[in-house]
Every structure is written in structure tokens, then in C-alpha cells.
Amino acid sequence: MRFYADLHIHSRFSRACSKQLTLSEIYKWCRLKGVSVIATGDYTHPEWLAEIKEQLSENNNGLYELDKNLAKEIDSLIPESCKGPVRFLLSTEISLIYKKKDRVRKVHNVILAPRIEVVEKLNKKLAKIGNLQADGRPILGLDARDLLEIVLETSEECILIPAHIWTPWFSIFGDKSGFDSIKECFEDLSDHIYAIETGLSSDPAMNWMIKELDNITIISNSDAHSPEKIAREANIFDCKLSFTEIIDAIKKNDKRFKGTLEFYPEEGKYHYDGHRSCNVRQDPKETIKTQAICPKCKKRLTVGVLNRVFQLAQRKRGEKSPNAKHYFNIIPLKEILSEIMGKGPATKTVNDEYFKILARFGSELGVLQEIPATKLSKHSDILAQAISRMRAGSIDIQPGYDGLYGEISIFDTLEREQLENRKQLGLAI
Ligand SMILES: [Zn+2]
Ligand SMILES: [Zn+2]
């Protein structure tokens, strides 16, 4: 079966994460988005793990299901058209801060696990190293190589995946505190790294420029800090709904792993270089000439993901890696509606329209990916046009930098004026 999987999200026990992140709410948004396999997030956190144990039950194949009564309650609240199974996969993210070769390193890793018993065994070991209670994404003073060793000793069924590998802070290739290669970070255990996560600010094409990643599966997850952000990036599989199959497909990068859904990387918070406080946004080509010195404050700019990829690249942009998979850039439906309707993505107007569309066509990823434009145009010509443009990549983006998201526009100024006129004539969308 073909399905979408999002293998890295957080619970409400992680810093800066929404209080809405309960298992029921996560289940609800998976149904609305059309996600079949979702990370539990934060299984290292004792209170969250207690909820996982109470509200989820094992499905015999390493995946978990929400309690029937809780699921029933949610099902009654969502459109009939948004059907489909939702399974949870045990997942956590660990933040490592440690010194190696005289430099402070900060690396985030996602660890997927097949069963609660394995999670409990791992948690016991990690609790001796640091405080698991303080944050759903615990911070440990542990070398990434040693964490991988502990994970493998606990269970060879687990998989450790370096998270959002290009973010300047907190990632394996990050400009601020990362490494230049997987080998430098994981040393003798590097062969146990089968996959990396692109993060929002990079896409597979950027990662194809790095030859060391040729035999590494490039996966994408949302790293959602609130339920609605689930599946802003995701993976496409064609296999059984089973932990072993999913992990095996990732490890072998074979036909069962179809590719990814991607944020437009320019929309990510660290795509370009710059200084937020100085209002300086810079193309890496410029930065290279100026040695990354801010033209305003003369301090070092925050070097973004694109620049860092160029630094480590052995291939030119546009060249494909031999094992490249397909990927598709998507824009969250509420953002698309927000532009069309000229209202914020969190407004009631946009929300009402969002649910109308879901009720008519089914889950969001289906609308963005699968429903033909001719069908969508029966609901709204402009919506069909917007989605066609998104699918074709013919949109305009002001790249994100130094922690600021990029800005997407699907329509140009003239078209937007025409939209405005339509609205004044009372034509909704
Ligand atoms: Zn992270
Ligand atoms: Zn500056």
C-alpha cells in the first residue's frame, strides 16, 4: 500500500511546542492531512511515554494504534472523506552537546524504535547520562558516535537518523557546531547511518551535491511543534504498514521507498545567509565574496544551509546522485488559501474554506498531490490554478534567513489585484 509517513514530530513536553500536542490531536491531524504513519515523538520523556502506554496499543507489527474510544471521538469531528489508517511509530529526538577535537558540537538525532520494551531499555541507559524529564527533546552531553553505540547495543532493530542535517545550530553538517562528514562524526560506526533528514531548508537536490550521501537514504519529516504542521514534509512508502518493512525500505532505499514531500527549501528559516536584526538577506554567492561579514554591523553573518551545502559539495547544483528518488515540493493548503483569500492562514475564513475543501476532496496531501486540477476547478478555478502552479514549481519565493521563514507568492502583484477585485464583487474564491 502507498502511504505517507512523518517520522519526526514533538509532543507538548518539548520546549516551545504546542500544548495541543496530545495523541488524540496528533491522530486527528494525521487523518486530516492523510498521514498513515506518524512519529510518537519524545518517547524519552517519562510522562509522554506513560501516555503512549496508556493510549496506544501495539498492532503486532511494531506500530501502534490509538485507543478505540479516543479514536471514535475524533472520528466524529472530522469529515467523512478523510478516512484512512493512522499508526504511530516510536520516535524521539535527542540533542547532543559535546566537545570533539577542541570544538563544541551540537547535533540532533532521531531514533526510531520497534517496541515499548526497547524504548524502556534505552531510556534507562540514557537516564544515567542526562535528565530525560526536563525536555521532550532531552539534551545529553554525549558523543554522537557513543549514542549510536548505545542505541545499537540496546537493539539492532533501532535506527538512528541525523536530524535536519544542515541547520546552522544543532546538526551534523551545521555551520556553527557540526562536522564536515558523517565519518568525522560517527567514525567506526558510520556504516550504521542509513538515512539523513533534509530539514526544511534543504531539499534532496541540494543533498545530491554531497557524494558522501550517495548511499544514504534522504528522508523528510515535519519536525512539527504543533499538530497542524504535521506532514509539511513527509516520506512516501509503498509497503506494508509495519515497522520492520519501513525501516528495511529506508535501509535499502529500494522500490518500497518512493521519495519525499518537501517544503520549498527557500521557505525554510535558514536557506540564505543573513542577519535578522540588521535586515540583511544575502545570496551565498555574495557572502562568499565578503567572507560572511555583515555589511551593516560588520559581525559574522548567520551562514545558511545553501551556503554550507556549497562549501561541502562535490557536485554542481542540478546534477543528480545515482540513487536519487523523486520528490515533490508542497505548500500547506492553508497558506495557499491565505494568499487567495487575502486573509491570514489562521483566520476563521481560511479555516472554514480549508474544511470545505477537505470535506469535498479528502485529506490535504491528497488535494495537494493527487486530485487532478480539472476536478479541483469544479470547486474553484483559482484554487486549481494555484495548486497547478505549486505542482509545477512556478511560484515566487523570498528566501528565509537567520531564523526568519521565507515568503512564498503564487500570484504576482497584478494577479493579486485581480483577486482583490473578485473578492469585492463577492466572489469568494
Ligand atoms: Zn532538532
Ligand atoms: Zn549584522
Side-chain angles (χ1 to χ4, degrees), residues 274-280 293-302 402:
H275 259 173
R276 197 184 341 189
S277 51
C278 300
N279 229 335
V280 170
I293 301 300
C294 174
K296 284 222 177 117
C297 71
K298 310 290 172 204
K299 290 195 192 117
R300 191 166 188 268
L301 291 172
T302 301
D402 198 17

Side-chain angles (χ1 to χ4, degrees), residues 87-98:
R87 303 277 186 269
F88 288 81
L89 188 149
L90 293 162
S91 166
T92 201
E93 182 184 35
I94 296 184
S95 169
L96 302 173
I97 303 183
Y98 59 105

